[in-house]
Amino acid sequence: MAHIIVVGNEKGGAGKSTIAMHVATALARMDHRVWTLDLDLRQQSLGRYLANRRAWLKKEERDLPVPGYMQLPEADPAAVAAGEQAADNRLNRAVAELEEKSDFIIIDCPGSYTRLAQVAHSLADTLITPLNDSFVDFDLLARIEGDGEKILGPSVYAEMVWSARQLRAQAGLSPMDWIVLRNRVGAQQMINKAKMEKAVATLAKRIGFRVGPGFSERVVFRELFPRGLTLLDLRDIGVRSLSLSNIAARQEVRDLVKSLKLPGVEVNF
């Protein structure tokens, strides 16, 4: 069966689609069969990222690995069983179709609570949750006192992940590996960064996730989107001298993929 990687939280702007694209492309570069689903049916950021990649490669007549992309099938009322929700049927049909031709299925969730996102989390073998380095984002995981020091209890998103874990256990599936990334970390605000690092590490022990390396805040990630490129593509398209920032960003991609500890993956880029 394919290993399902879900990238999700309930807040926009945390870099979910950028993470999903770089993980998908990295796995494709290592000759794994990778397919993707975008559950943000309105914005379709990951879908547009991949469309940009295919268009740019065709225009420039270049050949780079391209992860597969599947549009979520429309709900067929006749196929929805009694008591089943249409969203469940749509996602389960998509995953069932992709499992036979995939080593990894990467699902990019919207930055809000939806039934599709809820179902996707219950399917996740690996869950990646990127957080902006801010207590605004941290509030999705846990409620804290005003000084940011004391954790009062889990918040809405953490409770949804707990429910997804319970559903997996009831279905006899393997436990979910949950990785939280402090993403888009800036160079300044050292006091806030230290508080966030401490709070995330403390919460990890309480609610059971691993802390992984995210991406720093870099302009290059926004510049790559219109061409559908990732940090791993730059040398292949003729960028011979990478800037120090690009080299550091490439290392961040490598560190992230290694930290996921995916089955059968030996990072070689």
Side-chain angles (χ1 to χ4, degrees), residues 45-93:
S45 295
L46 179 60
R48 290 190 296 110
Y49 205 150
L50 285 162
N52 291 345
R53 184 177 184 86
R54 290 190 295 269
W56 189 85
L57 292 176
K58 181 178 180 180
K59 178 183 176 182
E60 298 295 324
E61 298 182 342
R62 293 180 181 271
D63 184 21
L64 293 174
V66 182
Y69 173 69
M70 179 180 177
Q71 288 275 6
L72 202 66
E74 293 297 329
D76 179 3
V80 179
E84 182 184 27
Q85 294 195 31
D88 302 39
N89 180 270
R90 296 177 72 186
L91 184 52
N92 288 330
R93 283 164 52 208

mmCIF file of all heavy atoms in Angstrom, residues 45-93:
data_model
loop_
_atom_site.group_PDB
_atom_site.id
_atom_site.type_symbol
_atom_site.label_atom_id
_atom_site.label_comp_id
_atom_site.label_asym_id
_atom_site.label_seq_id
_atom_site.Cartn_x
_atom_site.Cartn_y
_atom_site.Cartn_z
ATOM 1 N N SER A 45 -3.523 25.705 -4.432
ATOM 2 C CA SER A 45 -2.139 26.191 -4.531
ATOM 3 C C SER A 45 -1.183 25.098 -5.003
ATOM 4 O O SER A 45 -0.322 25.340 -5.868
ATOM 5 C CB SER A 45 -1.677 26.742 -3.181
ATOM 6 O OG SER A 45 -2.428 27.874 -2.825
ATOM 7 N N LEU A 46 -1.294 23.893 -4.451
ATOM 8 C CA LEU A 46 -0.410 22.815 -4.888
ATOM 9 C C LEU A 46 -0.728 22.419 -6.321
ATOM 10 O O LEU A 46 0.188 22.190 -7.122
ATOM 11 C CB LEU A 46 -0.550 21.604 -3.964
ATOM 12 C CG LEU A 46 0.308 20.388 -4.346
ATOM 13 C CD1 LEU A 46 1.791 20.740 -4.347
ATOM 14 C CD2 LEU A 46 0.040 19.220 -3.394
ATOM 15 N N GLY A 47 -2.007 22.344 -6.668
ATOM 16 C CA GLY A 47 -2.371 22.017 -8.044
ATOM 17 C C GLY A 47 -1.828 23.025 -9.034
ATOM 18 O O GLY A 47 -1.325 22.663 -10.118
ATOM 19 N N ARG A 48 -1.888 24.312 -8.696
ATOM 20 C CA ARG A 48 -1.373 25.348 -9.593
ATOM 21 C C ARG A 48 0.154 25.315 -9.643
ATOM 22 O O ARG A 48 0.754 25.565 -10.698
ATOM 23 C CB ARG A 48 -1.866 26.726 -9.150
ATOM 24 C CG ARG A 48 -3.363 26.916 -9.396
ATOM 25 C CD ARG A 48 -3.831 28.338 -9.203
ATOM 26 N NE ARG A 48 -3.676 28.795 -7.829
ATOM 27 C CZ ARG A 48 -2.803 29.702 -7.420
ATOM 28 N NH1 ARG A 48 -1.968 30.259 -8.285
ATOM 29 N NH2 ARG A 48 -2.746 30.062 -6.154
ATOM 30 N N TYR A 49 0.784 24.985 -8.523
ATOM 31 C CA TYR A 49 2.247 24.858 -8.490
ATOM 32 C C TYR A 49 2.692 23.786 -9.489
ATOM 33 O O TYR A 49 3.615 23.995 -10.297
ATOM 34 C CB TYR A 49 2.684 24.484 -7.069
ATOM 35 C CG TYR A 49 4.091 24.874 -6.674
ATOM 36 C CD1 TYR A 49 4.397 25.168 -5.346
ATOM 37 C CD2 TYR A 49 5.129 24.941 -7.608
ATOM 38 C CE1 TYR A 49 5.676 25.525 -4.955
ATOM 39 C CE2 TYR A 49 6.408 25.299 -7.223
ATOM 40 C CZ TYR A 49 6.684 25.586 -5.894
ATOM 41 O OH TYR A 49 7.957 25.942 -5.514
ATOM 42 N N LEU A 50 2.030 22.645 -9.467
ATOM 43 C CA LEU A 50 2.380 21.552 -10.373
ATOM 44 C C LEU A 50 2.025 21.883 -11.818
ATOM 45 O O LEU A 50 2.755 21.521 -12.752
ATOM 46 C CB LEU A 50 1.694 20.266 -9.930
ATOM 47 C CG LEU A 50 2.321 19.617 -8.688
ATOM 48 C CD1 LEU A 50 1.367 18.634 -8.043
ATOM 49 C CD2 LEU A 50 3.627 18.919 -9.063
ATOM 50 N N ALA A 51 0.905 22.592 -12.038
ATOM 51 C CA ALA A 51 0.552 23.024 -13.400
ATOM 52 C C ALA A 51 1.599 23.990 -13.936
ATOM 53 O O ALA A 51 1.978 23.926 -15.123
ATOM 54 C CB ALA A 51 -0.833 23.674 -13.400
ATOM 55 N N ASN A 52 2.078 24.892 -13.082
ATOM 56 C CA ASN A 52 3.146 25.807 -13.488
ATOM 57 C C ASN A 52 4.405 25.040 -13.879
ATOM 58 O O ASN A 52 5.095 25.407 -14.838
ATOM 59 C CB ASN A 52 3.486 26.771 -12.339
ATOM 60 C CG ASN A 52 2.379 27.763 -12.052
ATOM 61 O OD1 ASN A 52 1.464 27.938 -12.852
ATOM 62 N ND2 ASN A 52 2.445 28.415 -10.898
ATOM 63 N N ARG A 53 4.690 23.981 -13.165
ATOM 64 C CA ARG A 53 5.889 23.175 -13.453
ATOM 65 C C ARG A 53 5.763 22.510 -14.823
ATOM 66 O O ARG A 53 6.691 22.574 -15.636
ATOM 67 C CB ARG A 53 6.072 22.116 -12.359
ATOM 68 C CG ARG A 53 7.351 21.280 -12.489
ATOM 69 C CD ARG A 53 7.471 20.314 -11.308
ATOM 70 N NE ARG A 53 8.707 19.552 -11.320
ATOM 71 C CZ ARG A 53 9.858 19.956 -10.811
ATOM 72 N NH1 ARG A 53 9.938 21.158 -10.282
ATOM 73 N NH2 ARG A 53 10.935 19.191 -10.826
ATOM 74 N N ARG A 54 4.630 21.896 -15.073
ATOM 75 C CA ARG A 54 4.452 21.225 -16.367
ATOM 76 C C ARG A 54 4.510 22.232 -17.518
ATOM 77 O O ARG A 54 5.126 21.954 -18.561
ATOM 78 C CB ARG A 54 3.111 20.477 -16.382
ATOM 79 C CG ARG A 54 3.087 19.247 -15.461
ATOM 80 C CD ARG A 54 1.837 18.417 -15.686
ATOM 81 N NE ARG A 54 0.639 19.149 -15.319
ATOM 82 C CZ ARG A 54 0.080 19.135 -14.120
ATOM 83 N NH1 ARG A 54 0.637 18.424 -13.153
ATOM 84 N NH2 ARG A 54 -1.015 19.818 -13.860
ATOM 85 N N ALA A 55 3.898 23.399 -17.338
ATOM 86 C CA ALA A 55 3.891 24.409 -18.390
ATOM 87 C C ALA A 55 5.295 24.950 -18.646
ATOM 88 O O ALA A 55 5.700 25.137 -19.805
ATOM 89 C CB ALA A 55 2.947 25.553 -18.007
ATOM 90 N N TRP A 56 6.049 25.211 -17.580
ATOM 91 C CA TRP A 56 7.395 25.760 -17.752
ATOM 92 C C TRP A 56 8.318 24.740 -18.406
ATOM 93 O O TRP A 56 9.107 25.087 -19.303
ATOM 94 C CB TRP A 56 7.954 26.182 -16.394
ATOM 95 C CG TRP A 56 9.248 26.948 -16.509
ATOM 96 C CD1 TRP A 56 9.399 28.285 -16.733
ATOM 97 C CD2 TRP A 56 10.568 26.407 -16.422
ATOM 98 N NE1 TRP A 56 10.736 28.609 -16.782
ATOM 99 C CE2 TRP A 56 11.484 27.476 -16.597
ATOM 100 C CE3 TRP A 56 11.082 25.121 -16.209
ATOM 101 C CZ2 TRP A 56 12.860 27.301 -16.569
ATOM 102 C CZ3 TRP A 56 12.457 24.939 -16.186
ATOM 103 C CH2 TRP A 56 13.331 26.011 -16.358
ATOM 104 N N LEU A 57 8.233 23.485 -17.995
ATOM 105 C CA LEU A 57 9.080 22.453 -18.592
ATOM 106 C C LEU A 57 8.776 22.272 -20.077
ATOM 107 O O LEU A 57 9.684 22.078 -20.897
ATOM 108 C CB LEU A 57 8.888 21.123 -17.854
ATOM 109 C CG LEU A 57 9.417 21.072 -16.415
ATOM 110 C CD1 LEU A 57 9.066 19.740 -15.769
ATOM 111 C CD2 LEU A 57 10.924 21.300 -16.377
ATOM 112 N N LYS A 58 7.492 22.355 -20.438
ATOM 113 C CA LYS A 58 7.128 22.234 -21.850
ATOM 114 C C LYS A 58 7.650 23.420 -22.647
ATOM 115 O O LYS A 58 8.211 23.246 -23.747
ATOM 116 C CB LYS A 58 5.607 22.139 -21.981
ATOM 117 C CG LYS A 58 5.123 21.985 -23.418
ATOM 118 C CD LYS A 58 3.608 21.842 -23.462
ATOM 119 C CE LYS A 58 3.132 21.684 -24.905
ATOM 120 N NZ LYS A 58 1.651 21.538 -24.979
ATOM 121 N N LYS A 59 7.493 24.619 -22.105
ATOM 122 C CA LYS A 59 7.948 25.821 -22.803
ATOM 123 C C LYS A 59 9.462 25.818 -22.987
ATOM 124 O O LYS A 59 9.968 26.175 -24.062
ATOM 125 C CB LYS A 59 7.523 27.059 -22.011
ATOM 126 C CG LYS A 59 7.990 28.373 -22.617
ATOM 127 C CD LYS A 59 7.595 29.550 -21.743
ATOM 128 C CE LYS A 59 8.148 30.859 -22.301
ATOM 129 N NZ LYS A 59 7.809 32.014 -21.416
ATOM 130 N N GLU A 60 10.185 25.421 -21.955
ATOM 131 C CA GLU A 60 11.652 25.447 -22.000
ATOM 132 C C GLU A 60 12.247 24.160 -22.567
ATOM 133 O O GLU A 60 13.462 24.055 -22.708
ATOM 134 C CB GLU A 60 12.201 25.675 -20.580
ATOM 135 C CG GLU A 60 11.795 27.004 -19.960
ATOM 136 C CD GLU A 60 12.384 28.184 -20.706
ATOM 137 O OE1 GLU A 60 13.533 28.074 -21.185
ATOM 138 O OE2 GLU A 60 11.683 29.214 -20.814
ATOM 139 N N GLU A 61 11.382 23.195 -22.899
ATOM 140 C CA GLU A 61 11.812 21.906 -23.443
ATOM 141 C C GLU A 61 12.842 21.232 -22.533
ATOM 142 O O GLU A 61 13.909 20.805 -22.957
ATOM 143 C CB GLU A 61 12.372 22.071 -24.857
ATOM 144 C CG GLU A 61 11.340 22.600 -25.851
ATOM 145 C CD GLU A 61 11.879 22.723 -27.262
ATOM 146 O OE1 GLU A 61 13.123 22.727 -27.418
ATOM 147 O OE2 GLU A 61 11.069 22.794 -28.200
ATOM 148 N N ARG A 62 12.493 21.163 -21.268
ATOM 149 C CA ARG A 62 13.361 20.526 -20.286
ATOM 150 C C ARG A 62 12.668 19.304 -19.698
ATOM 151 O O ARG A 62 11.445 19.159 -19.792
ATOM 152 C CB ARG A 62 13.717 21.513 -19.158
ATOM 153 C CG ARG A 62 14.594 22.674 -19.620
ATOM 154 C CD ARG A 62 14.904 23.598 -18.455
ATOM 155 N NE ARG A 62 15.717 24.720 -18.849
ATOM 156 C CZ ARG A 62 17.040 24.729 -18.850
ATOM 157 N NH1 ARG A 62 17.700 23.633 -18.474
ATOM 158 N NH2 ARG A 62 17.712 25.809 -19.203
ATOM 159 N N ASP A 63 13.460 18.451 -19.088
ATOM 160 C CA ASP A 63 12.935 17.208 -18.520
ATOM 161 C C ASP A 63 13.360 17.117 -17.057
ATOM 162 O O ASP A 63 14.527 16.888 -16.754
ATOM 163 C CB ASP A 63 13.462 16.006 -19.296
ATOM 164 C CG ASP A 63 12.873 14.696 -18.806
ATOM 165 O OD1 ASP A 63 11.807 14.742 -18.166
ATOM 166 O OD2 ASP A 63 13.484 13.635 -19.043
ATOM 167 N N LEU A 64 12.414 17.331 -16.166
ATOM 168 C CA LEU A 64 12.648 17.201 -14.732
ATOM 169 C C LEU A 64 11.553 16.321 -14.138
ATOM 170 O O LEU A 64 10.455 16.229 -14.708
ATOM 171 C CB LEU A 64 12.614 18.574 -14.047
ATOM 172 C CG LEU A 64 13.727 19.573 -14.386
ATOM 173 C CD1 LEU A 64 13.433 20.917 -13.722
ATOM 174 C CD2 LEU A 64 15.078 19.034 -13.946
ATOM 175 N N PRO A 65 11.816 15.661 -13.024
ATOM 176 C CA PRO A 65 10.779 14.824 -12.411
ATOM 177 C C PRO A 65 9.553 15.662 -12.039
ATOM 178 O O PRO A 65 9.678 16.758 -11.495
ATOM 179 C CB PRO A 65 11.461 14.277 -11.153
ATOM 180 C CG PRO A 65 12.929 14.393 -11.425
ATOM 181 C CD PRO A 65 13.086 15.608 -12.269
ATOM 182 N N VAL A 66 8.378 15.123 -12.344
ATOM 183 C CA VAL A 66 7.121 15.809 -12.033
ATOM 184 C C VAL A 66 6.221 14.842 -11.266
ATOM 185 O O VAL A 66 5.799 13.819 -11.813
ATOM 186 C CB VAL A 66 6.397 16.285 -13.306
ATOM 187 C CG1 VAL A 66 5.116 17.033 -12.929
ATOM 188 C CG2 VAL A 66 7.300 17.166 -14.154
ATOM 189 N N PRO A 67 5.911 15.125 -10.016
ATOM 190 C CA PRO A 67 4.969 14.269 -9.280
ATOM 191 C C PRO A 67 3.609 14.265 -9.978
ATOM 192 O O PRO A 67 3.206 15.251 -10.596
ATOM 193 C CB PRO A 67 4.875 14.943 -7.903
ATOM 194 C CG PRO A 67 6.105 15.790 -7.795
ATOM 195 C CD PRO A 67 6.413 16.242 -9.190
ATOM 196 N N GLY A 68 2.916 13.156 -9.894
ATOM 197 C CA GLY A 68 1.581 13.096 -10.472
ATOM 198 C C GLY A 68 0.594 13.942 -9.675
ATOM 199 O O GLY A 68 0.789 14.184 -8.480
ATOM 200 N N TYR A 69 -0.441 14.386 -10.355
ATOM 201 C CA TYR A 69 -1.468 15.192 -9.690
ATOM 202 C C TYR A 69 -2.835 14.712 -10.155
ATOM 203 O O TYR A 69 -3.074 14.519 -11.345
ATOM 204 C CB TYR A 69 -1.299 16.676 -10.018
ATOM 205 C CG TYR A 69 -2.430 17.537 -9.489
ATOM 206 C CD1 TYR A 69 -2.580 17.743 -8.129
ATOM 207 C CD2 TYR A 69 -3.358 18.121 -10.362
ATOM 208 C CE1 TYR A 69 -3.621 18.512 -7.632
ATOM 209 C CE2 TYR A 69 -4.398 18.899 -9.873
ATOM 210 C CZ TYR A 69 -4.521 19.094 -8.508
ATOM 211 O OH TYR A 69 -5.553 19.843 -8.020
ATOM 212 N N MET A 70 -3.740 14.516 -9.208
ATOM 213 C CA MET A 70 -5.084 14.053 -9.522
ATOM 214 C C MET A 70 -6.108 15.010 -8.945
ATOM 215 O O MET A 70 -6.043 15.362 -7.766
ATOM 216 C CB MET A 70 -5.311 12.650 -8.944
ATOM 217 C CG MET A 70 -6.693 12.088 -9.195
ATOM 218 S SD MET A 70 -6.868 10.437 -8.463
ATOM 219 C CE MET A 70 -8.584 10.099 -8.832
ATOM 220 N N GLN A 71 -7.029 15.432 -9.774
ATOM 221 C CA GLN A 71 -8.158 16.222 -9.286
ATOM 222 C C GLN A 71 -9.074 15.324 -8.463
ATOM 223 O O GLN A 71 -9.308 14.170 -8.812
ATOM 224 C CB GLN A 71 -8.938 16.800 -10.473
ATOM 225 C CG GLN A 71 -8.236 17.915 -11.210
ATOM 226 C CD GLN A 71 -8.472 19.276 -10.568
ATOM 227 O OE1 GLN A 71 -9.080 19.370 -9.503
ATOM 228 N NE2 GLN A 71 -7.988 20.321 -11.209
ATOM 229 N N LEU A 72 -9.566 15.857 -7.384
ATOM 230 C CA LEU A 72 -10.491 15.083 -6.568
ATOM 231 C C LEU A 72 -11.754 14.783 -7.376
ATOM 232 O O LEU A 72 -12.341 15.689 -7.972
ATOM 233 C CB LEU A 72 -10.853 15.869 -5.311
ATOM 234 C CG LEU A 72 -11.370 15.060 -4.125
ATOM 235 C CD1 LEU A 72 -10.269 14.155 -3.585
ATOM 236 C CD2 LEU A 72 -11.862 15.994 -3.031
ATOM 237 N N PRO A 73 -12.174 13.523 -7.459
ATOM 238 C CA PRO A 73 -13.361 13.201 -8.261
ATOM 239 C C PRO A 73 -14.619 13.828 -7.678
ATOM 240 O O PRO A 73 -14.727 14.029 -6.466
ATOM 241 C CB PRO A 73 -13.415 11.669 -8.192
ATOM 242 C CG PRO A 73 -12.683 11.309 -6.949
ATOM 243 C CD PRO A 73 -11.599 12.331 -6.802
ATOM 244 N N GLU A 74 -15.554 14.136 -8.549
ATOM 245 C CA GLU A 74 -16.834 14.675 -8.093
ATOM 246 C C GLU A 74 -17.640 13.582 -7.383
ATOM 247 O O GLU A 74 -17.455 12.392 -7.639
ATOM 248 C CB GLU A 74 -17.634 15.209 -9.285
ATOM 249 C CG GLU A 74 -17.006 16.427 -9.951
ATOM 250 C CD GLU A 74 -16.941 17.627 -9.022
ATOM 251 O OE1 GLU A 74 -17.829 17.753 -8.143
ATOM 252 O OE2 GLU A 74 -15.998 18.430 -9.153
ATOM 253 N N ALA A 75 -18.484 14.014 -6.502
ATOM 254 C CA ALA A 75 -19.310 13.052 -5.772
ATOM 255 C C ALA A 75 -20.388 12.474 -6.683
ATOM 256 O O ALA A 75 -21.051 13.210 -7.415
ATOM 257 C CB ALA A 75 -19.959 13.735 -4.566
ATOM 258 N N ASP A 76 -20.506 11.172 -6.664
ATOM 259 C CA ASP A 76 -21.549 10.482 -7.414
ATOM 260 C C ASP A 76 -22.596 10.021 -6.405
ATOM 261 O O ASP A 76 -22.348 9.102 -5.618
ATOM 262 C CB ASP A 76 -20.951 9.288 -8.155
ATOM 263 C CG ASP A 76 -21.996 8.501 -8.933
ATOM 264 O OD1 ASP A 76 -23.183 8.915 -8.945
ATOM 265 O OD2 ASP A 76 -21.634 7.468 -9.529
ATOM 266 N N PRO A 77 -23.776 10.662 -6.383
ATOM 267 C CA PRO A 77 -24.801 10.304 -5.382
ATOM 268 C C PRO A 77 -25.112 8.819 -5.347
ATOM 269 O O PRO A 77 -25.386 8.253 -4.286
ATOM 270 C CB PRO A 77 -26.017 11.125 -5.818
ATOM 271 C CG PRO A 77 -25.439 12.287 -6.577
ATOM 272 C CD PRO A 77 -24.236 11.731 -7.276
ATOM 273 N N ALA A 78 -25.036 8.180 -6.521
ATOM 274 C CA ALA A 78 -25.355 6.754 -6.581
ATOM 275 C C ALA A 78 -24.290 5.897 -5.892
ATOM 276 O O ALA A 78 -24.561 4.762 -5.476
ATOM 277 C CB ALA A 78 -25.502 6.316 -8.035
ATOM 278 N N ALA A 79 -23.061 6.463 -5.774
ATOM 279 C CA ALA A 79 -21.959 5.692 -5.180
ATOM 280 C C ALA A 79 -21.802 5.934 -3.693
ATOM 281 O O ALA A 79 -21.024 5.252 -3.028
ATOM 282 C CB ALA A 79 -20.651 6.031 -5.896
ATOM 283 N N VAL A 80 -22.529 6.908 -3.162
ATOM 284 C CA VAL A 80 -22.422 7.236 -1.734
ATOM 285 C C VAL A 80 -23.340 6.318 -0.949
ATOM 286 O O VAL A 80 -24.563 6.330 -1.143
ATOM 287 C CB VAL A 80 -22.777 8.715 -1.474
ATOM 288 C CG1 VAL A 80 -22.689 9.023 0.020
ATOM 289 C CG2 VAL A 80 -21.853 9.629 -2.266
ATOM 290 N N ALA A 81 -22.752 5.517 -0.083
ATOM 291 C CA ALA A 81 -23.535 4.553 0.693
ATOM 292 C C ALA A 81 -24.376 5.263 1.750
ATOM 293 O O ALA A 81 -24.109 6.407 2.118
ATOM 294 C CB ALA A 81 -22.597 3.546 1.348
ATOM 295 N N ALA A 82 -25.388 4.586 2.213
ATOM 296 C CA ALA A 82 -26.234 5.141 3.267
ATOM 297 C C ALA A 82 -25.399 5.429 4.507
ATOM 298 O O ALA A 82 -24.619 4.585 4.960
ATOM 299 C CB ALA A 82 -27.352 4.153 3.602
ATOM 300 N N GLY A 83 -25.522 6.636 5.027
ATOM 301 C CA GLY A 83 -24.754 7.037 6.198
ATOM 302 C C GLY A 83 -23.368 7.556 5.897
ATOM 303 O O GLY A 83 -22.667 8.014 6.798
ATOM 304 N N GLU A 84 -22.944 7.480 4.633
ATOM 305 C CA GLU A 84 -21.621 7.974 4.240
ATOM 306 C C GLU A 84 -21.730 9.413 3.754
ATOM 307 O O GLU A 84 -22.670 9.776 3.055
ATOM 308 C CB GLU A 84 -21.043 7.093 3.123
ATOM 309 C CG GLU A 84 -19.636 7.513 2.689
ATOM 310 C CD GLU A 84 -19.113 6.691 1.526
ATOM 311 O OE1 GLU A 84 -19.956 6.183 0.745
ATOM 312 O OE2 GLU A 84 -17.896 6.562 1.393
ATOM 313 N N GLN A 85 -20.757 10.235 4.090
ATOM 314 C CA GLN A 85 -20.743 11.605 3.603
ATOM 315 C C GLN A 85 -20.082 11.664 2.234
ATOM 316 O O GLN A 85 -19.162 10.893 1.924
ATOM 317 C CB GLN A 85 -20.007 12.521 4.583
ATOM 318 C CG GLN A 85 -20.718 12.675 5.918
ATOM 319 C CD GLN A 85 -20.182 13.856 6.707
ATOM 320 O OE1 GLN A 85 -19.754 14.855 6.147
ATOM 321 N NE2 GLN A 85 -20.226 13.744 8.024
ATOM 322 N N ALA A 86 -20.516 12.602 1.408
ATOM 323 C CA ALA A 86 -19.980 12.727 0.056
ATOM 324 C C ALA A 86 -18.481 12.999 0.076
ATOM 325 O O ALA A 86 -17.729 12.478 -0.756
ATOM 326 C CB ALA A 86 -20.709 13.840 -0.694
ATOM 327 N N ALA A 87 -18.012 13.826 1.022
ATOM 328 C CA ALA A 87 -16.586 14.143 1.097
ATOM 329 C C ALA A 87 -15.758 12.883 1.357
ATOM 330 O O ALA A 87 -14.693 12.685 0.760
ATOM 331 C CB ALA A 87 -16.330 15.174 2.194
ATOM 332 N N ASP A 88 -16.254 12.021 2.241
ATOM 333 C CA ASP A 88 -15.552 10.769 2.525
ATOM 334 C C ASP A 88 -15.442 9.931 1.263
ATOM 335 O O ASP A 88 -14.376 9.372 0.958
ATOM 336 C CB ASP A 88 -16.305 9.970 3.598
ATOM 337 C CG ASP A 88 -16.469 10.734 4.895
ATOM 338 O OD1 ASP A 88 -16.710 11.955 4.850
ATOM 339 O OD2 ASP A 88 -16.374 10.109 5.963
ATOM 340 N N ASN A 89 -16.540 9.839 0.528
ATOM 341 C CA ASN A 89 -16.567 9.032 -0.687
ATOM 342 C C ASN A 89 -15.584 9.562 -1.727
ATOM 343 O O ASN A 89 -14.846 8.793 -2.366
ATOM 344 C CB ASN A 89 -17.985 9.014 -1.249
ATOM 345 C CG ASN A 89 -18.099 8.200 -2.525
ATOM 346 O OD1 ASN A 89 -17.935 8.724 -3.616
ATOM 347 N ND2 ASN A 89 -18.383 6.912 -2.378
ATOM 348 N N ARG A 90 -15.547 10.880 -1.903
ATOM 349 C CA ARG A 90 -14.659 11.481 -2.904
ATOM 350 C C ARG A 90 -13.186 11.181 -2.600
ATOM 351 O O ARG A 90 -12.427 10.768 -3.470
ATOM 352 C CB ARG A 90 -14.875 12.997 -2.969
ATOM 353 C CG ARG A 90 -16.245 13.416 -3.429
ATOM 354 C CD ARG A 90 -16.390 14.928 -3.379
ATOM 355 N NE ARG A 90 -15.607 15.576 -4.429
ATOM 356 C CZ ARG A 90 -15.465 16.883 -4.539
ATOM 357 N NH1 ARG A 90 -16.020 17.693 -3.645
ATOM 358 N NH2 ARG A 90 -14.760 17.401 -5.530
ATOM 359 N N LEU A 91 -12.796 11.405 -1.346
ATOM 360 C CA LEU A 91 -11.392 11.216 -0.990
ATOM 361 C C LEU A 91 -11.007 9.739 -0.986
ATOM 362 O O LEU A 91 -9.937 9.362 -1.482
ATOM 363 C CB LEU A 91 -11.117 11.846 0.374
ATOM 364 C CG LEU A 91 -9.664 11.823 0.849
ATOM 365 C CD1 LEU A 91 -8.722 12.408 -0.206
ATOM 366 C CD2 LEU A 91 -9.514 12.576 2.162
ATOM 367 N N ASN A 92 -11.871 8.894 -0.462
ATOM 368 C CA ASN A 92 -11.566 7.463 -0.433
ATOM 369 C C ASN A 92 -11.451 6.888 -1.836
ATOM 370 O O ASN A 92 -10.591 6.029 -2.094
ATOM 371 C CB ASN A 92 -12.634 6.716 0.363
ATOM 372 C CG ASN A 92 -12.540 6.980 1.854
ATOM 373 O OD1 ASN A 92 -11.457 7.227 2.373
ATOM 374 N ND2 ASN A 92 -13.666 6.938 2.551
ATOM 375 N N ARG A 93 -12.295 7.347 -2.766
ATOM 376 C CA ARG A 93 -12.180 6.892 -4.156
ATOM 377 C C ARG A 93 -10.860 7.325 -4.779
ATOM 378 O O ARG A 93 -10.207 6.548 -5.497
ATOM 379 C CB ARG A 93 -13.348 7.437 -4.983
ATOM 380 C CG ARG A 93 -14.664 6.694 -4.761
ATOM 381 C CD ARG A 93 -15.837 7.499 -5.283
ATOM 382 N NE ARG A 93 -15.660 7.930 -6.654
ATOM 383 C CZ ARG A 93 -16.209 9.028 -7.183
ATOM 384 N NH1 ARG A 93 -16.965 9.816 -6.425
ATOM 385 N NH2 ARG A 93 -16.005 9.340 -8.440
#
